[in-house]
PDB file of all heavy atoms in Angstrom:
ATOM      1  N   SER H   1     -81.827 -15.667 -13.770  1.00  0.00           N
ATOM      2  CA  SER H   1     -80.718 -15.491 -12.892  1.00  0.00           C
ATOM      3  C   SER H   1     -79.362 -16.017 -13.399  1.00  0.00           C
ATOM      4  O   SER H   1     -78.322 -15.840 -12.825  1.00  0.00           O
ATOM      5  CB  SER H   1     -81.107 -16.147 -11.527  1.00  0.00           C
ATOM      6  OG  SER H   1     -81.212 -17.555 -11.707  1.00  0.00           O
ATOM      7  N   MET H   2     -79.473 -16.735 -14.608  1.00  0.00           N
ATOM      8  CA  MET H   2     -78.244 -17.329 -15.192  1.00  0.00           C
ATOM      9  C   MET H   2     -77.624 -16.393 -16.223  1.00  0.00           C
ATOM     10  O   MET H   2     -76.565 -16.811 -16.762  1.00  0.00           O
ATOM     11  CB  MET H   2     -78.547 -18.675 -15.801  1.00  0.00           C
ATOM     12  CG  MET H   2     -79.095 -19.646 -14.815  1.00  0.00           C
ATOM     13  SD  MET H   2     -78.080 -19.893 -13.336  1.00  0.00           S
ATOM     14  CE  MET H   2     -76.653 -20.660 -14.077  1.00  0.00           C
ATOM     15  N   TYR H   3     -78.123 -15.282 -16.425  1.00  0.00           N
ATOM     16  CA  TYR H   3     -77.623 -14.432 -17.557  1.00  0.00           C
ATOM     17  C   TYR H   3     -76.793 -13.209 -17.012  1.00  0.00           C
ATOM     18  O   TYR H   3     -77.200 -12.638 -16.005  1.00  0.00           O
ATOM     19  CB  TYR H   3     -78.846 -13.886 -18.326  1.00  0.00           C
ATOM     20  CG  TYR H   3     -79.503 -14.908 -19.182  1.00  0.00           C
ATOM     21  CD1 TYR H   3     -80.596 -15.622 -18.653  1.00  0.00           C
ATOM     22  CD2 TYR H   3     -79.133 -15.161 -20.565  1.00  0.00           C
ATOM     23  CE1 TYR H   3     -81.240 -16.495 -19.440  1.00  0.00           C
ATOM     24  CE2 TYR H   3     -79.716 -16.108 -21.265  1.00  0.00           C
ATOM     25  CZ  TYR H   3     -80.769 -16.868 -20.776  1.00  0.00           C
ATOM     26  OH  TYR H   3     -81.458 -17.710 -21.453  1.00  0.00           O
ATOM     27  N   THR H   4     -75.770 -12.868 -17.770  1.00  0.00           N
ATOM     28  CA  THR H   4     -75.189 -11.556 -17.682  1.00  0.00           C
ATOM     29  C   THR H   4     -76.131 -10.573 -18.283  1.00  0.00           C
ATOM     30  O   THR H   4     -76.699 -10.835 -19.433  1.00  0.00           O
ATOM     31  CB  THR H   4     -73.826 -11.500 -18.429  1.00  0.00           C
ATOM     32  OG1 THR H   4     -72.886 -12.309 -17.752  1.00  0.00           O
ATOM     33  CG2 THR H   4     -73.374 -10.079 -18.601  1.00  0.00           C
ATOM     34  N   MET H   5     -76.341  -9.528 -17.650  1.00  0.00           N
ATOM     35  CA  MET H   5     -77.304  -8.492 -18.224  1.00  0.00           C
ATOM     36  C   MET H   5     -76.519  -7.186 -18.447  1.00  0.00           C
ATOM     37  O   MET H   5     -75.655  -6.840 -17.675  1.00  0.00           O
ATOM     38  CB  MET H   5     -78.416  -8.200 -17.267  1.00  0.00           C
ATOM     39  CG  MET H   5     -79.310  -9.405 -16.977  1.00  0.00           C
ATOM     40  SD  MET H   5     -80.090 -10.079 -18.416  1.00  0.00           S
ATOM     41  CE  MET H   5     -81.195  -8.710 -18.878  1.00  0.00           C
ATOM     42  N   ALA H   6     -76.910  -6.455 -19.405  1.00  0.00           N
ATOM     43  CA  ALA H   6     -76.194  -5.171 -19.756  1.00  0.00           C
ATOM     44  C   ALA H   6     -77.133  -4.235 -20.405  1.00  0.00           C
ATOM     45  O   ALA H   6     -78.275  -4.539 -20.843  1.00  0.00           O
ATOM     46  CB  ALA H   6     -75.070  -5.484 -20.751  1.00  0.00           C
ATOM     47  N   TRP H   7     -76.648  -2.949 -20.370  1.00  0.00           N
ATOM     48  CA  TRP H   7     -77.397  -1.859 -21.159  1.00  0.00           C
ATOM     49  C   TRP H   7     -76.443  -1.319 -22.150  1.00  0.00           C
ATOM     50  O   TRP H   7     -75.249  -1.154 -21.927  1.00  0.00           O
ATOM     51  CB  TRP H   7     -77.876  -0.742 -20.207  1.00  0.00           C
ATOM     52  CG  TRP H   7     -78.969  -1.068 -19.281  1.00  0.00           C
ATOM     53  CD1 TRP H   7     -78.903  -1.519 -17.995  1.00  0.00           C
ATOM     54  CD2 TRP H   7     -80.365  -0.943 -19.552  1.00  0.00           C
ATOM     55  NE1 TRP H   7     -80.106  -1.667 -17.435  1.00  0.00           N
ATOM     56  CE2 TRP H   7     -81.046  -1.315 -18.415  1.00  0.00           C
ATOM     57  CE3 TRP H   7     -81.153  -0.428 -20.632  1.00  0.00           C
ATOM     58  CZ2 TRP H   7     -82.437  -1.270 -18.283  1.00  0.00           C
ATOM     59  CZ3 TRP H   7     -82.444  -0.465 -20.527  1.00  0.00           C
ATOM     60  CH2 TRP H   7     -83.095  -0.837 -19.387  1.00  0.00           C
ATOM     61  N   PHE H   8     -77.001  -1.170 -23.358  1.00  0.00           N
ATOM     62  CA  PHE H   8     -76.285  -0.477 -24.449  1.00  0.00           C
ATOM     63  C   PHE H   8     -77.199   0.747 -24.850  1.00  0.00           C
ATOM     64  O   PHE H   8     -78.305   0.845 -24.600  1.00  0.00           O
ATOM     65  CB  PHE H   8     -76.088  -1.372 -25.624  1.00  0.00           C
ATOM     66  CG  PHE H   8     -75.022  -2.415 -25.402  1.00  0.00           C
ATOM     67  CD1 PHE H   8     -75.277  -3.562 -24.652  1.00  0.00           C
ATOM     68  CD2 PHE H   8     -73.793  -2.340 -25.995  1.00  0.00           C
ATOM     69  CE1 PHE H   8     -74.287  -4.526 -24.396  1.00  0.00           C
ATOM     70  CE2 PHE H   8     -72.812  -3.301 -25.802  1.00  0.00           C
ATOM     71  CZ  PHE H   8     -73.103  -4.415 -25.034  1.00  0.00           C
ATOM     72  N   ARG H   9     -76.516   1.681 -25.639  1.00  0.00           N
ATOM     73  CA  ARG H   9     -77.224   2.693 -26.086  1.00  0.00           C
ATOM     74  C   ARG H   9     -76.748   3.103 -27.533  1.00  0.00           C
ATOM     75  O   ARG H   9     -75.610   2.810 -27.868  1.00  0.00           O
ATOM     76  CB  ARG H   9     -77.094   3.991 -25.180  1.00  0.00           C
ATOM     77  CG  ARG H   9     -75.690   4.595 -25.044  1.00  0.00           C
ATOM     78  CD  ARG H   9     -75.704   5.711 -24.069  1.00  0.00           C
ATOM     79  NE  ARG H   9     -74.391   6.325 -24.019  1.00  0.00           N
ATOM     80  CZ  ARG H   9     -74.093   7.271 -23.061  1.00  0.00           C
ATOM     81  NH1 ARG H   9     -74.897   7.676 -22.209  1.00  0.00           N
ATOM     82  NH2 ARG H   9     -72.827   7.744 -23.067  1.00  0.00           N
ATOM     83  N   GLN H  10     -77.685   3.744 -28.300  1.00  0.00           N
ATOM     84  CA  GLN H  10     -77.262   4.177 -29.677  1.00  0.00           C
ATOM     85  C   GLN H  10     -77.860   5.503 -29.919  1.00  0.00           C
ATOM     86  O   GLN H  10     -79.141   5.610 -29.914  1.00  0.00           O
ATOM     87  CB  GLN H  10     -77.808   3.122 -30.649  1.00  0.00           C
ATOM     88  CG  GLN H  10     -77.207   3.424 -32.030  1.00  0.00           C
ATOM     89  CD  GLN H  10     -77.496   2.225 -32.969  1.00  0.00           C
ATOM     90  OE1 GLN H  10     -78.256   1.273 -32.643  1.00  0.00           O
ATOM     91  NE2 GLN H  10     -76.799   2.161 -34.119  1.00  0.00           N
ATOM     92  N   GLY H  11     -77.067   6.435 -30.044  1.00  0.00           N
ATOM     93  CA  GLY H  11     -77.430   7.762 -30.410  1.00  0.00           C
ATOM     94  C   GLY H  11     -77.619   8.009 -31.858  1.00  0.00           C
ATOM     95  O   GLY H  11     -77.153   7.187 -32.615  1.00  0.00           O
ATOM     96  N   PRO H  12     -78.193   9.160 -32.279  1.00  0.00           N
ATOM     97  CA  PRO H  12     -78.342   9.414 -33.734  1.00  0.00           C
ATOM     98  C   PRO H  12     -77.037   9.442 -34.462  1.00  0.00           C
ATOM     99  O   PRO H  12     -76.104  10.186 -34.056  1.00  0.00           O
ATOM    100  CB  PRO H  12     -79.029  10.817 -33.713  1.00  0.00           C
ATOM    101  CG  PRO H  12     -79.620  11.005 -32.329  1.00  0.00           C
ATOM    102  CD  PRO H  12     -78.697  10.237 -31.385  1.00  0.00           C
ATOM    103  N   GLY H  13     -76.975   8.657 -35.450  1.00  0.00           N
ATOM    104  CA  GLY H  13     -75.718   8.610 -36.287  1.00  0.00           C
ATOM    105  C   GLY H  13     -74.544   7.926 -35.589  1.00  0.00           C
ATOM    106  O   GLY H  13     -73.426   8.114 -36.155  1.00  0.00           O
ATOM    107  N   LYS H  14     -74.784   7.328 -34.472  1.00  0.00           N
ATOM    108  CA  LYS H  14     -73.609   6.645 -33.733  1.00  0.00           C
ATOM    109  C   LYS H  14     -73.835   5.128 -33.758  1.00  0.00           C
ATOM    110  O   LYS H  14     -74.852   4.620 -33.896  1.00  0.00           O
ATOM    111  CB  LYS H  14     -73.586   7.142 -32.318  1.00  0.00           C
ATOM    112  CG  LYS H  14     -73.384   8.686 -32.253  1.00  0.00           C
ATOM    113  CD  LYS H  14     -73.283   9.100 -30.777  1.00  0.00           C
ATOM    114  CE  LYS H  14     -73.051  10.623 -30.707  1.00  0.00           C
ATOM    115  NZ  LYS H  14     -73.004  11.025 -29.284  1.00  0.00           N
ATOM    116  N   GLU H  15     -72.739   4.515 -33.416  1.00  0.00           N
ATOM    117  CA  GLU H  15     -72.711   3.071 -33.250  1.00  0.00           C
ATOM    118  C   GLU H  15     -73.303   2.749 -31.836  1.00  0.00           C
ATOM    119  O   GLU H  15     -73.218   3.530 -30.895  1.00  0.00           O
ATOM    120  CB  GLU H  15     -71.307   2.456 -33.343  1.00  0.00           C
ATOM    121  CG  GLU H  15     -70.796   2.613 -34.770  1.00  0.00           C
ATOM    122  CD  GLU H  15     -69.469   1.867 -34.985  1.00  0.00           C
ATOM    123  OE1 GLU H  15     -68.953   1.304 -33.929  1.00  0.00           O
ATOM    124  OE2 GLU H  15     -68.958   1.803 -36.069  1.00  0.00           O
ATOM    125  N   ARG H  16     -73.837   1.500 -31.647  1.00  0.00           N
ATOM    126  CA  ARG H  16     -74.263   1.075 -30.374  1.00  0.00           C
ATOM    127  C   ARG H  16     -73.041   0.949 -29.478  1.00  0.00           C
ATOM    128  O   ARG H  16     -72.042   0.467 -29.814  1.00  0.00           O
ATOM    129  CB  ARG H  16     -74.973  -0.261 -30.468  1.00  0.00           C
ATOM    130  CG  ARG H  16     -75.701  -0.715 -29.346  1.00  0.00           C
ATOM    131  CD  ARG H  16     -76.604  -1.842 -29.573  1.00  0.00           C
ATOM    132  NE  ARG H  16     -77.772  -1.469 -30.441  1.00  0.00           N
ATOM    133  CZ  ARG H  16     -78.831  -2.155 -30.747  1.00  0.00           C
ATOM    134  NH1 ARG H  16     -78.946  -3.429 -30.178  1.00  0.00           N
ATOM    135  NH2 ARG H  16     -79.721  -1.690 -31.535  1.00  0.00           N
ATOM    136  N   GLU H  17     -73.212   1.500 -28.211  1.00  0.00           N
ATOM    137  CA  GLU H  17     -72.065   1.501 -27.310  1.00  0.00           C
ATOM    138  C   GLU H  17     -72.546   0.935 -25.924  1.00  0.00           C
ATOM    139  O   GLU H  17     -73.751   1.070 -25.470  1.00  0.00           O
ATOM    140  CB  GLU H  17     -71.534   2.872 -27.033  1.00  0.00           C
ATOM    141  CG  GLU H  17     -72.452   3.884 -26.387  1.00  0.00           C
ATOM    142  CD  GLU H  17     -71.806   5.180 -26.055  1.00  0.00           C
ATOM    143  OE1 GLU H  17     -70.556   5.259 -26.136  1.00  0.00           O
ATOM    144  OE2 GLU H  17     -72.526   6.165 -25.734  1.00  0.00           O
ATOM    145  N   PHE H  18     -71.540   0.247 -25.282  1.00  0.00           N
ATOM    146  CA  PHE H  18     -71.782  -0.320 -23.973  1.00  0.00           C
ATOM    147  C   PHE H  18     -71.967   0.711 -22.945  1.00  0.00           C
ATOM    148  O   PHE H  18     -71.409   1.729 -22.980  1.00  0.00           O
ATOM    149  CB  PHE H  18     -70.544  -1.170 -23.680  1.00  0.00           C
ATOM    150  CG  PHE H  18     -70.457  -1.683 -22.249  1.00  0.00           C
ATOM    151  CD1 PHE H  18     -71.161  -2.795 -21.859  1.00  0.00           C
ATOM    152  CD2 PHE H  18     -69.724  -1.025 -21.342  1.00  0.00           C
ATOM    153  CE1 PHE H  18     -71.049  -3.303 -20.534  1.00  0.00           C
ATOM    154  CE2 PHE H  18     -69.607  -1.437 -19.995  1.00  0.00           C
ATOM    155  CZ  PHE H  18     -70.270  -2.535 -19.667  1.00  0.00           C
ATOM    156  N   VAL H  19     -72.805   0.456 -21.995  1.00  0.00           N
ATOM    157  CA  VAL H  19     -73.097   1.400 -20.891  1.00  0.00           C
ATOM    158  C   VAL H  19     -72.657   0.720 -19.623  1.00  0.00           C
ATOM    159  O   VAL H  19     -71.548   1.088 -19.018  1.00  0.00           O
ATOM    160  CB  VAL H  19     -74.510   1.919 -20.862  1.00  0.00           C
ATOM    161  CG1 VAL H  19     -74.695   2.915 -19.785  1.00  0.00           C
ATOM    162  CG2 VAL H  19     -74.974   2.512 -22.223  1.00  0.00           C
ATOM    163  N   PRO H  20     -73.425  -0.243 -18.985  1.00  0.00           N
ATOM    164  CA  PRO H  20     -72.940  -1.076 -17.924  1.00  0.00           C
ATOM    165  C   PRO H  20     -73.359  -2.510 -18.049  1.00  0.00           C
ATOM    166  O   PRO H  20     -74.241  -2.817 -18.890  1.00  0.00           O
ATOM    167  CB  PRO H  20     -73.666  -0.502 -16.670  1.00  0.00           C
ATOM    168  CG  PRO H  20     -74.964  -0.096 -17.172  1.00  0.00           C
ATOM    169  CD  PRO H  20     -74.834   0.023 -18.695  1.00  0.00           C
ATOM    170  N   ALA H  21     -72.812  -3.452 -17.327  1.00  0.00           N
ATOM    171  CA  ALA H  21     -73.108  -4.800 -17.243  1.00  0.00           C
ATOM    172  C   ALA H  21     -73.080  -5.266 -15.843  1.00  0.00           C
ATOM    173  O   ALA H  21     -72.465  -4.643 -14.966  1.00  0.00           O
ATOM    174  CB  ALA H  21     -72.116  -5.666 -18.076  1.00  0.00           C
ATOM    175  N   ILE H  22     -73.819  -6.324 -15.571  1.00  0.00           N
ATOM    176  CA  ILE H  22     -73.964  -6.930 -14.226  1.00  0.00           C
ATOM    177  C   ILE H  22     -73.925  -8.449 -14.294  1.00  0.00           C
ATOM    178  O   ILE H  22     -74.434  -9.039 -15.197  1.00  0.00           O
ATOM    179  CB  ILE H  22     -75.196  -6.373 -13.465  1.00  0.00           C
ATOM    180  CG1 ILE H  22     -75.206  -6.726 -12.009  1.00  0.00           C
ATOM    181  CG2 ILE H  22     -76.488  -6.912 -14.281  1.00  0.00           C
ATOM    182  CD1 ILE H  22     -76.322  -5.956 -11.257  1.00  0.00           C
ATOM    183  N   THR H  23     -73.211  -8.990 -13.328  1.00  0.00           N
ATOM    184  CA  THR H  23     -73.229 -10.511 -13.283  1.00  0.00           C
ATOM    185  C   THR H  23     -74.568 -11.101 -13.047  1.00  0.00           C
ATOM    186  O   THR H  23     -75.522 -10.433 -12.572  1.00  0.00           O
ATOM    187  CB  THR H  23     -72.264 -10.933 -12.209  1.00  0.00           C
ATOM    188  OG1 THR H  23     -72.668 -10.442 -10.876  1.00  0.00           O
ATOM    189  CG2 THR H  23     -70.795 -10.573 -12.481  1.00  0.00           C
ATOM    190  N   TYR H  24     -74.633 -12.451 -13.227  1.00  0.00           N
ATOM    191  CA  TYR H  24     -75.888 -13.182 -13.103  1.00  0.00           C
ATOM    192  C   TYR H  24     -76.382 -13.027 -11.663  1.00  0.00           C
ATOM    193  O   TYR H  24     -77.538 -13.029 -11.394  1.00  0.00           O
ATOM    194  CB  TYR H  24     -75.717 -14.597 -13.480  1.00  0.00           C
ATOM    195  CG  TYR H  24     -74.827 -15.388 -12.573  1.00  0.00           C
ATOM    196  CD1 TYR H  24     -75.337 -16.149 -11.476  1.00  0.00           C
ATOM    197  CD2 TYR H  24     -73.443 -15.425 -12.791  1.00  0.00           C
ATOM    198  CE1 TYR H  24     -74.514 -16.859 -10.651  1.00  0.00           C
ATOM    199  CE2 TYR H  24     -72.613 -16.199 -11.870  1.00  0.00           C
ATOM    200  CZ  TYR H  24     -73.210 -16.825 -10.813  1.00  0.00           C
ATOM    201  OH  TYR H  24     -72.342 -17.685 -10.087  1.00  0.00           O
ATOM    202  N   SER H  25     -75.462 -12.891 -10.647  1.00  0.00           N
ATOM    203  CA  SER H  25     -75.854 -12.905  -9.278  1.00  0.00           C
ATOM    204  C   SER H  25     -76.117 -11.487  -8.797  1.00  0.00           C
ATOM    205  O   SER H  25     -76.652 -11.176  -7.735  1.00  0.00           O
ATOM    206  CB  SER H  25     -74.737 -13.540  -8.437  1.00  0.00           C
ATOM    207  OG  SER H  25     -73.617 -12.690  -8.478  1.00  0.00           O
ATOM    208  N   GLY H  26     -75.683 -10.500  -9.599  1.00  0.00           N
ATOM    209  CA  GLY H  26     -75.777  -9.044  -9.219  1.00  0.00           C
ATOM    210  C   GLY H  26     -74.677  -8.612  -8.307  1.00  0.00           C
ATOM    211  O   GLY H  26     -74.566  -7.502  -7.771  1.00  0.00           O
ATOM    212  N   GLY H  27     -73.672  -9.476  -8.138  1.00  0.00           N
ATOM    213  CA  GLY H  27     -72.634  -9.174  -7.159  1.00  0.00           C
ATOM    214  C   GLY H  27     -71.475  -8.293  -7.688  1.00  0.00           C
ATOM    215  O   GLY H  27     -70.641  -7.793  -6.953  1.00  0.00           O
ATOM    216  N   SER H  28     -71.459  -8.093  -9.012  1.00  0.00           N
ATOM    217  CA  SER H  28     -70.371  -7.294  -9.637  1.00  0.00           C
ATOM    218  C   SER H  28     -70.928  -6.538 -10.855  1.00  0.00           C
ATOM    219  O   SER H  28     -71.724  -7.059 -11.528  1.00  0.00           O
ATOM    220  CB  SER H  28     -69.154  -8.255 -10.040  1.00  0.00           C
ATOM    221  OG  SER H  28     -68.135  -7.440 -10.534  1.00  0.00           O
TER     222      SER H  28
END
């Protein structure tokens, strides 16, 4: 519960890119 969590993605031949992030509380 103390971590920022996020998803990233990496397509073929592409750099890893940010998708979404969420606060430790889930409020934002």
Side-chain angles (χ1 to χ4, degrees):
S1 62
M2 300 305 295
Y3 290 89
T4 289
M5 300 297 296
W7 288 93
F8 285 77
R9 66 185 181 185
Q10 188 165 17
K14 298 181 180 180
E15 293 186 355
R16 190 166 294 191
E17 66 172 345
F18 170 82
V19 185
I22 190 166
T23 56
Y24 68 94
S25 67
S28 184

